[in-house]
Amino acid sequence: MDLLLYPSSISFKSHASPPRPNFPNFNSKKSRNFLRNPLIWRQNCRIRAQSSNGTAGDGFVLEDVPHLTDFLPGLLSYPNPLQNSKAYAIVRQTFVTPEDAVAENIVVQKDSPRGVHFRRAGPREKVYFKSEEVRACIVTCGGLCPGINTVIRELVYGLNYMYGVDDILGIEGGYRGFYSKNTVSLTPKLVNDIHKRGGTFLRTSRGGHDTNKIVDNIEDRGINQVYIIGGDGTQKGADLIFKEVEKRGLQVAVAGIPKTIDNDIAVIDKSFGFDTAVEEAQRAINAAHVEVESVENGVGIVKLMGRYSGFIAMYATLASRDVDCCLIPESPFYLEGRGGLFEFVEERLKENGHIVIVLAEGAGQDYVAQELHPIDEKDASGNRLLLDVGLWLSQKIKDHFTNVRKMAINMKYIDPTYMIRAIPSNAADNVYCTLLAQSAVHGAMAGYTGFTVGPVNSRHAYIPIARVTETQNTVKLTDRMWARLLASTNQPSFLNSNEVIPEKADQETMEVVNDMRITSI
């Protein structure tokens, strides 16, 4: 069948372009002069499969990512150095074919359209950079997460060992490091053991994104590959950098590597560091369980990360098996009345003599807003500062049972947030980070740009940055995973009461709480 691009037609094939006579060497380290051409790329184009007679075929849609040849049409390509690699010599098929795609949805019904697909990640037969002319840079932005150092290490190793790139810069201190900090030259020897440490070897910061200053610095330094590790706001910044690079007609590949410990990035299966966070969260849950089991009427509350998405709380609860109740931002709950949290806590105390509650930091913010006056403040990334629901809930439960039920309880409150963020990644995340980094390197060397990389249905793919930033991944209360949690804890769903929130906060306060979204980079 013929594959047609709307609004204009292209064939679904490699981006190799025929050589053009007297084409300038704009990759030269000596001159670092970049070719500038008119902008012709239309981002987020889709390729839809059609039969040869023009009628709709099987509904195959490819959400493609930008390529340097889309706005530098005469760009030269070169044989991939991996064809001479000893490591890849034993691989049956060294290179990913242009037709390889990864399906966004793999559960389909008979005769249903094949749906959206993404380009499969991996090495291509042709590259658009000479190894000796590459100057790459790596930057980390936003909050900490297990695995950042592993990604940095594997980017350096991938560039150097697979493609022979020696010129790799580390941008220190986040986005503002492009124009206000010194860089560090990264070598395999320098980053050899950084994966054993938590945090980020390059240090990080929030905010500081100035697109023009950043791209000016990229151009001045002769950087032609940019690897950006960060979350939602950071990836939005990467998209702006790509668009400015495209506007200026620079031969610069911009690759995003999504990072968020909350696992709230859309499209991809999960974010790196998530498995490590769940594993470490279990230690806190186990500590709470030991504490409350050892006293009479013990109530243990463990607050975990999860500003808008309760994945860590949900998976840690399922993995632990010691949790009686899990509260997440997606699921409203109420305290008083039949079927409320207070009644459930009392039942568990009478039945077992103790209870463990796991609480995501974004849960119950509407409740807290009724009693506390939220301060309309944001961090440097534009995130509104959350109220401390953990301390609030601990006090509410203690007050209710002491003053209303006349029961003595032993409250144990644990907040392991920063301990979880700061640890090194576990074995599973280390493997995952290696695949992410190598996939990003393969994509940039192959000339793709303005993309992010991640697993889609267990296959790594190149995804348009806009797709992973247009919405957030959240726990769906109608999915089986949440039902599995309810079946495991035997907690109420808190969805059947007509009085989910007995007293609504004033409209102004609720607007502040409901507006807790990233509004800047």
Side-chain angles (χ1 to χ4, degrees):
M1 61 176 61
D2 297 321
L3 295 171
L4 303 179
L5 172 71
Y6 55 87
S8 59
S9 298
I10 69 169
S11 60
F12 184 15
K13 60 183 180 181
S14 68
H15 288 276
S17 301
R20 191 169 66 179
N22 301 321
F23 196 83
N25 183 7
F26 45 81
N27 258 336
S28 172
K29 286 185 179 179
K30 294 180 179 179
S31 63
R32 295 291 182 185
N33 292 323
F34 295 91
L35 180 70
R36 300 171 184 272
N37 277 340
L39 175 63
I40 62 171
W41 170 255
R42 289 181 292 274
Q43 195 176 3
N44 296 339
C45 60
R46 292 188 176 192
I47 299 175
R48 182 179 296 278
Q50 294 185 346
S51 59
S52 57
N53 61 8
T55 59
D58 57 3
F60 178 96
V61 177
L62 176 72
E63 287 203 1
D64 209 356
V65 295
H67 193 273
L68 291 173
T69 56
D70 295 317
F71 57 93
L72 298 172
L75 197 59
L76 295 175
S77 63
Y78 312 97
N80 194 318
L82 287 178
Q83 65 184 1
N84 301 317
S85 168
K86 293 181 180 179
Y88 276 79
I90 62 173
V91 179
R92 178 175 299 178
Q93 184 176 339
T94 302
F95 302 114
V96 173
T97 65
E99 289 77 18
D100 284 355
V102 178
E104 183 175 24
N105 296 312
I106 59 173
V107 179
V108 296
Q109 296 177 337
K110 184 179 179 181
D111 298 328
S112 64
R114 291 177 63 187
V116 172
H117 293 67
F118 303 102
R119 283 194 181 272
R120 183 183 177 188
R124 264 55 180 179
E125 190 173 0
K126 297 291 184 180
V127 297
Y128 288 80
F129 294 93
K130 288 184 177 180
S131 299
E132 65 272 15
E133 295 174 353
V134 171
R135 169 169 280 187
C137 75
I138 304 169
V139 64
T140 58
C141 308
L144 296 182
C145 173
I148 298 176
N149 281 335
T150 305
V151 174
I152 295 171
R153 180 188 189 273
E154 295 307 319
L155 284 172
V156 174
Y157 270 63
L159 284 164
N160 187 267
Y161 288 171
M162 291 192 297
Y163 289 97
V165 174
D166 295 319
D167 196 354
I168 309 169
L169 301 177
I171 306 298
E172 296 183 315
Y175 273 137
R176 60 172 52 89
F178 276 101
Y179 52 85
S180 65
K181 300 283 185 181
N182 291 326
T183 60
V184 57
S185 180
L186 300 177
T187 64
K189 182 177 180 180
L190 182 64
V191 302
N192 178 57
D193 63 350
I194 63 174
H195 62 289
K196 299 176 183 178
R197 291 176 258 163
T200 166
F201 174 75
L202 296 176
R203 297 194 296 277
T204 186
S205 66
R206 295 187 181 275
H209 187 279
D210 187 316
T211 305
N212 287 323
K213 284 185 178 181
I214 292 171
V215 178
D216 286 345
N217 187 270
I218 290 171
E219 191 171 4
D220 291 343
R221 290 180 181 271
I223 294 168
N224 50 23
Q225 290 185 13
V226 183
Y227 298 92
I228 301 173
I229 306 168
D232 180 81
T234 301
Q235 297 305 313
K236 289 179 180 178
D239 195 36
L240 292 177
I241 292 171
F242 154 69
K243 289 175 181 176
E244 182 62 24
V245 163
E246 178 190 50
K247 179 180 177 182
R248 299 187 189 189
L250 306 178
Q251 190 203 353
V252 177
V254 180
I257 299 175
K259 170 200 66 68
T260 169
I261 201 169
D262 292 346
N263 195 41
D264 59 0
I265 293 179
V267 182
I268 65 174
D269 296 344
K270 64 180 176 182
S271 53
F272 74 82
F274 176 71
D275 281 347
T276 305
V278 171
E279 185 176 297
E280 189 67 14
Q282 287 184 83
R283 303 180 191 275
I285 294 171
N286 181 62
H289 186 247
V290 170
E291 287 283 348
V292 299
E293 247 191 343
S294 303
V295 295
E296 184 178 1
N297 289 336
V299 178
I301 295 180
V302 179
K303 188 180 81 170
L304 300 175
M305 291 81 69
R307 178 179 289 268
Y308 309 117
S309 304
F311 285 104
I312 291 180
M314 179 174 70
Y315 275 82
T317 295
L318 281 167
S320 171
R321 306 293 177 179
D322 287 330
V323 179
D324 297 281
C325 184
C326 178
L327 304 174
I328 60 175
E330 297 88 339
S331 180
F333 64 92
Y334 54 103
L335 299 178
E336 300 177 351
R338 185 169 181 81
L341 182 62
F342 289 157
E343 181 183 79
F344 178 71
V345 170
E346 185 171 351
E347 289 175 356
R348 284 298 167 95
L349 288 177
K350 290 179 178 178
E351 180 181 352
N352 299 328
H354 63 271
I355 184 172
V356 175
I357 300 172
V358 166
L359 177 69
E361 61 181 328
Q365 289 293 316
D366 43 11
Y367 254 123
V368 187
Q370 297 178 40
E371 301 183 13
L372 305 177
H373 297 288
I375 301 174
D376 190 8
E377 291 183 358
K378 304 174 184 177
D379 61 22
S381 296
N383 297 306
R384 291 195 180 274
L385 299 178
L386 294 180
L387 302 166
D388 194 334
V389 67
L391 291 174
W392 172 83
L393 184 60
S394 299
Q395 192 61 48
K396 293 294 291 186
I397 292 176
K398 190 173 183 180
D399 289 345
H400 173 80
F401 284 96
T402 301
N403 301 327
V404 178
R405 303 302 298 167
K406 307 300 181 182
M407 289 176 55
I409 64 170
N410 284 283
M411 177 64 67
K412 310 294 181 182
Y413 175 58
I414 298 176
D415 182 356
T417 301
Y418 290 102
M419 296 175 63
I420 293 175
R421 286 168 29 130
I423 64 172
S425 52
N426 64 12
D429 271 322
N430 275 333
V431 174
Y432 178 23
C433 290
T434 300
L435 296 177
L436 280 177
Q438 291 187 3
S439 295
V441 170
H442 291 317
M445 290 297 297
Y448 294 111
T449 182
F451 70 91
T452 189
V453 63
V456 179
N457 294 314
S458 300
R459 289 287 185 269
H460 282 246
Y462 298 133
I463 308 163
I465 293 178
R467 275 300 308 272
V468 300
T469 59
E470 64 187 2
T471 186
Q472 286 180 310
N473 188 30
T474 58
V475 174
K476 294 178 176 59
L477 302 184
T478 54
D479 278 2
R480 288 188 177 88
M481 188 58 74
W482 184 246
R484 294 183 183 110
L485 181 141
L486 297 179
S488 175
T489 62
N490 199 29
Q491 70 185 67
S493 65
F494 300 115
L495 295 178
N496 298 323
S497 173
N498 294 324
E499 298 179 331
V500 173
I501 304 176
E503 298 177 5
K504 289 287 186 181
D506 63 272
Q507 187 62 31
E508 181 179 353
T509 301
M510 289 306 300
E511 287 176 356
V512 170
V513 174
N514 292 333
D515 194 37
M516 290 178 178
R517 289 287 187 269
I518 294 175
T519 56
S520 66
I521 295 163

